[in-house]
Amino acid sequence: MSRVFVFLLAALLLMPAVPAAAGSPPMLMLANSWREGPEVSQYWVSEKLDGVRARWDGKVLWSRAGNRIDAPAWFVAGWPPMELDGELWLGRDRFDETSALVRTTGATDSGWRRLRFMVFDAPAHPGTFDARLEILQTRIRAAHVPWLQAIPQRQLADTAALHRHLREVVAAGGEGLMLHHRHGRYLPGRSDTLFKLKPWDDAEARVVAHVPGKGKYTGMLGALLVERADGRQFRLGSGFTDAQRAAPPPLGSHVTYRYNGLTSTGLPRFARFLRIREELPPPDPRRP
């Protein structure tokens, strides 16, 4: 590799990215669900944070759906002029609070001072994840911004160590794990080198009806009748607080639900409500 090429490549990586147009979703890499078989030692493993996905384009923060995030100027001051992919995060089991803060225009500084941007990738870098991880960690350390952090990554020896780490994270209140193949490139859409590992699955569905409650839930919500993107309908009858049963998600809104695999008829097994989905992800560009 010539010295001229190396110089040009380094200059390109340090250039500020061109901000995306408002309403144009950033081209994000998406994870597949982990299936046993791949060699675990070839992956970097991090905790899957229950935060709000965001992309820093070098000047502005954008949501997964392509909406500009109204972060205070001081919050992003000193951030490196390169693309960063990560999660805005308040802590474990605080997604609703994080989402409300991020969606509020002109939110108070006190809320943002509790927030961190946890970075896990550098999308514009053309190299492997090994190379992307090295440069993002270097640039974030050099920024000296306490609320801009690289998500801790570790390498594990085998499948047994992976599942042991998963149990530890979940027992501590975490959601699961993410696995980046060390030689994988950043490609928009569903990736064969990025995986998520959780003790359950989750998905989104649209609310089509409110099923009245019975017994102690008389006069309140008993269940939601929801519809998947493929038109299949099913009920969500658990996972709600009393406050959510008194004021259920409106018809036409989308909700996230958890489930444990599929039944023989292809419907989610043990489906339960998790939260209202305020912002749907963009379509997967690599999936029909």
Side-chain angles (χ1 to χ4, degrees), residues 3-287:
R3 292 183 178 180
V4 172
F5 178 80
V6 172
F7 175 80
L8 291 175
L9 178 60
L12 176 64
L13 293 176
L14 294 175
M15 287 177 62
V18 177
S24 176
M27 302 297 285
L28 301 176
M29 187 162 68
L30 307 174
N32 277 307
S33 295
W34 176 260
R35 296 291 182 265
E36 303 303 336
E39 187 177 347
V40 172
S41 63
Q42 293 301 301
Y43 288 82
W44 286 97
V45 182
S46 60
E47 180 176 342
K48 185 181 187 302
L49 302 183
D50 190 19
V52 173
R53 182 93 179 255
R55 181 138 166 192
W56 170 249
D57 68 5
K59 294 181 178 179
V60 174
L61 270 173
W62 298 94
S63 75
R64 183 173 178 174
N67 298 313
R68 180 168 178 165
I69 296 173
D70 187 28
W74 61 261
F75 186 78
V76 298
W79 287 18
M82 61 182 288
E83 290 191 34
L84 299 173
D85 192 358
E87 299 268 341
L88 290 164
W89 194 59
L90 280 171
R92 290 169 172 162
D93 200 26
R94 297 179 68 180
F95 174 84
D96 290 340
E97 189 180 351
T98 305
S99 178
L101 174 63
V102 171
R103 288 183 291 107
T104 301
T105 301
T108 62
D109 280 4
S110 61
W112 280 90
R113 293 203 181 276
R114 294 179 286 118
L115 202 64
R116 286 170 283 171
F117 187 44
M118 306 296 293
V119 181
F120 50 73
D121 217 327
H125 192 290
T128 65
F129 186 70
D130 275 350
R132 301 198 305 275
L133 182 60
E134 181 179 2
I135 194 170
L136 77 84
Q137 289 176 338
T138 299
R139 299 300 298 277
I140 288 174
R141 280 196 300 268
H144 298 295
V145 178
W147 45 87
L148 178 66
Q149 300 177 17
I151 292 178
Q153 303 277 354
R154 66 173 65 186
Q155 291 180 293
L156 300 171
D158 51 33
T159 298
L162 177 67
H163 285 278
R164 186 162 55 248
H165 184 45
L166 174 65
R167 290 192 296 270
E168 292 169 352
V169 168
V170 172
E175 186 177 80
L177 301 175
M178 300 297 297
L179 295 94
H180 284 84
H181 195 285
R182 56 190 301 261
H183 298 311
R185 309 278 174 166
Y186 196 105
L187 297 173
R190 201 65 56 180
S191 172
D192 294 327
T193 62
L194 174 63
F195 296 93
K196 56 186 175 182
L197 175 60
K198 301 183 294 182
W200 52 74
D201 297 302
D202 57 57
E204 284 73 43
R206 182 172 61 89
V207 178
V208 297
H210 295 154
V211 180
K214 298 179 180 179
K216 70 175 183 177
Y217 295 132
T218 298
M220 304 171 72
L221 176 73
L224 293 177
L225 180 64
V226 299
E227 183 177 278
R228 299 190 311 200
D230 62 2
R232 301 281 308 267
Q233 296 184 354
F234 55 95
R235 291 187 178 189
L236 296 176
S238 62
F240 303 98
T241 64
D242 286 350
Q244 289 167 335
R245 291 187 184 277
L251 301 182
S253 65
H254 287 78
V255 298
T256 300
Y257 61 92
R258 284 180 175 172
Y259 63 103
N260 295 83
L262 301 175
T263 66
S264 59
T265 61
L267 290 177
R269 179 181 286 111
F270 306 126
R272 58 269 191 202
F273 172 81
L274 180 59
R275 64 173 69 98
I276 295 177
R277 185 77 190 224
E278 301 290 352
E279 185 180 72
L280 286 176
D284 182 350
R286 298 179 67 196
R287 177 171 290 181

